[in-house]
Amino acid sequence: MTGPVRIAAGSVRPVRLAVSDLLALGLLGLRTRKMRAALSALGIAIGMATMIVVTGIPASSQAQLMRELSALGTNMLEVRALPDQQPPVRLPEESVGMVQRIGPVTRASAVANTHTFVRRSDRTDAQDGSGLTVLATRLDLLPAINARVAHGQWLNEATSRFPAVVLGAVSAARLGVTGSGQQLMIGDRWFTAVGILATTPLLPEIDRAVLVGWPVARDLLGFDGHPTVLYVQSAEPSIEQVRAVLPETVHPARPADVAVTRPSDALAAKRATENAFSALFLGLAAVALLVGGIGVANTMVISVLERRGEIGLRRALGATRGQIRGQFLTEAVTLSALGGLAGTLLGALATLGYAAYHQWPPVIPLSSTLAGLGGALLVGVVAGLYPSMRAAALPPTTALAL
């Protein structure tokens, strides 16, 4: 008879689990305890959804605020000659075209003071201009100053060559103009109102202006063709660099006599708002993930306590401590991943609905979403680390006896 088989010490090596086997073991606890797993994942989902909402809704609100601030002219500069210079400084006629060739400049236009007076009729004092300014304007002025027409229409290629005017909001009120077709007298010529502008908060001088076409101002009002003020829009990150080169570009012969406004105060407010929102995002996201992590850790500790018999049986059948750690760690990470994905979807839907209700541009920060998902996985690892080590440390006999 053949004697008992003797196996040399150290000749038996533990079997390495494949990734698919490890994942199946990790999902075993989730499948057998579906309700508890669902409630645990719900904790992570709520935390993740909270993070998406508290970043997405403020980001959408911020996008709307940035849109409104940009409409005020955060990327706009004004260029004009310094007053009271001897000899007087006049901006060159070709200055607008020269500015438009600067790389970051997106728009440039100009107006010019015609030094004439506007009257309601020929029976009023010829020198009573009602505190209004008659400006010759280029046709591309409106987009350059973010203005719009409230009534009637803007000047075009035809009306800019004929005695037609567009009034600022204050000018229309002072002159009693309520719509198109009314007659006004500029100098000794009759002009017809074709439009009224909406209020331009950043440029009150436009509100108090009577705007006529560049060609008709030359023909009828003695305009010499030299602009008085240039309005320049630039790519916002480059606005300081554009401002630095504008004097030499506009008037190469006398750059020191050219004044360029600094970016509007709205730009500083915009940048401060961006910083404030960024700090808020980080703080709220950290709190949300912390709450979810505590829930996962609590669930995994309870799972280890309830499954000590299973742990002892697997250890008695030859499972190594590393395999036990891997099983419970995989379960914790899977739980966090499922909760993170569900929370991301829930938070995105809530953010989109809230933004649509308030008519904001919907914004779900991709960086925050990816960071949240990565954070959820990290939370799963951290939350499952102690329970998995505790499970692996249980001796088989002790675990089976409990």
Side-chain angles (χ1 to χ4, degrees), residues 53 56 68 78 87 114 168 176 178 192 196 201 207 259 312 391:
V53 168
E68 294 174 358
E78 294 181 28
T114 62
T178 58
T192 302
I196 300 173
D207 289 339

Side-chain angles (χ1 to χ4, degrees), residues 176-188:
V177 177
T178 58
S180 303
Q182 292 183 243
Q183 297 283 304
L184 301 171
M185 179 160 280
I186 300 178
D188 58 355

Side-chain angles (χ1 to χ4, degrees), residues 196-259:
I196 300 173
L197 297 181
T199 302
T200 53
L202 200 65
L203 300 172
E205 64 270 22
I206 298 297
D207 289 339
R208 296 191 296 270
V210 175
L211 303 165
V212 301
W214 208 270
V216 75
R218 283 179 177 269
D219 296 339
L220 301 182
L221 303 179
F223 172 49
D224 60 7
H226 290 272
T228 305
V229 183
L230 273 63
Y231 300 102
V232 181
Q233 287 191 11
S234 166
E236 195 169 291
S238 305
I239 196 165
E240 285 83 4
Q241 289 78 9
V242 171
R243 179 179 179 272
V245 302
L246 275 175
E248 289 81 3
T249 304
V250 171
H251 204 320
R254 300 179 64 178
D257 295 328
V258 176

Side-chain angles (χ1 to χ4, degrees), residues 127-306:
Q127 300 300 313
D128 180 16
S130 300
L132 307 176
T133 306
V134 179
L135 299 178
T137 181
R138 290 169 54 97
L139 297 181
D140 54 4
L141 177 67
L142 290 192
I145 62 174
N146 298 317
R148 64 180 182 85
V149 177
H151 304 285
Q153 62 183 357
W154 177 241
L155 299 170
N156 54 41
E157 290 288 348
T159 55
S160 66
R161 299 178 181 277
F162 290 93
V165 299
V166 174
L167 304 173
V170 175
S171 298
R174 290 185 183 178
L175 295 172
V177 177
T178 58
S180 303
Q182 292 183 243
Q183 297 283 304
L184 301 171
M185 179 160 280
I186 300 178
D188 58 355
R189 302 275 186 167
W190 287 101
F191 282 70
T192 302
V194 296
I196 300 173
L197 297 181
T199 302
T200 53
L202 200 65
L203 300 172
E205 64 270 22
I206 298 297
D207 289 339
R208 296 191 296 270
V210 175
L211 303 165
V212 301
W214 208 270
V216 75
R218 283 179 177 269
D219 296 339
L220 301 182
L221 303 179
F223 172 49
D224 60 7
H226 290 272
T228 305
V229 183
L230 273 63
Y231 300 102
V232 181
Q233 287 191 11
S234 166
E236 195 169 291
S238 305
I239 196 165
E240 285 83 4
Q241 289 78 9
V242 171
R243 179 179 179 272
V245 302
L246 275 175
E248 289 81 3
T249 304
V250 171
H251 204 320
R254 300 179 64 178
D257 295 328
V258 176
V260 182
T261 61
R262 294 181 179 274
S264 71
D265 292 338
L267 179 57
K270 177 177 178 179
R271 290 174 177 171
T273 303
E274 290 174 344
N275 295 334
F277 272 124
S278 298
L280 177 64
F281 293 166
L282 294 176
L284 292 176
V287 171
L289 287 178
L290 178 61
V291 171
I294 293 173
V296 171
N298 183 58
T299 299
M300 295 308 302
V301 169
I302 294 176
S303 180
V304 169
L305 294 176
E306 289 183 345

